[in-house]
Amino acid sequence: MQESRTMPWAWISDGGEARYVQYRRGVVPEWCRFSHIVCRTGESLIISWCSQAFEFDEVEECSQPDGPNPGLARAVRQCTDCIVSAAFGSAGGQSESDASVTGGIPVRIDTPGQMVSAMRLLQGDLAGEAEQIALGAVDTGSLGCLAAETERFARALRRFGWLAAQR
């Protein structure tokens, strides 16, 4: 990962030291805040190992979840998806399931705003496909993609509901 000019801390150093970010207090409900391991940065985004995309101004660098680091915000709950992805080398944001970059339903939906956006996106995709079917244009490839997107949404919806119940 290359160092970002805007946020020089948002990279993993050559020594392999992980950097963590979390939503700033007040950006999302407290139950939506997790500390994420930074995978890479873009012009205005930080991509975590769990493929979550964050705007620079939404997050703060934080300490490692297992211990305080002087000068950094104290970490909230740790994102287990980041831990698994970083440990097994499945680079965040580089797979086809990274819809936060490609424009589909994201694998992870952590905030109410993200859930509303995903619901509206899926609703539009379903309505568009229904219109095509009504016209007699049944595209099995398109239906397969829509089925995969719907299944991804269902998993994200169950996880989001579980998170909301934990508050």
Side-chain angles (χ1 to χ4, degrees), residues 39-102:
C39 179
R40 68 179 193 278
T41 63
E43 279 197 31
S44 65
L45 293 177
I46 296 171
I47 308 296
S48 68
W49 277 89
C50 69
S51 300
Q52 188 80 2
F54 302 95
E55 296 286 334
F56 284 151
D57 60 350
E58 294 177 330
V59 295
E60 62 188 356
E61 184 177 14
C62 61
S63 63
Q64 292 185 12
D66 58 355
N69 188 348
L72 295 178
R74 185 168 184 260
V76 292
R77 294 170 304 280
Q78 190 168 12
C79 172
T80 55
D81 292 341
C82 278
I83 297 167
V84 171
S85 294
F88 294 102
S90 57
Q94 295 180 354
S95 68
E96 69 176 295
S97 64
D98 177 29
S100 61
V101 175
T102 62

Side-chain angles (χ1 to χ4, degrees), residues 123-138 142-143 146:
Q123 180 182 22
D125 290 348
L126 288 167
E129 198 59 41
E131 188 174 308
Q132 291 301 310
I133 291 171
L135 296 172
V138 178
S142 180
L143 289 175
L146 184 58

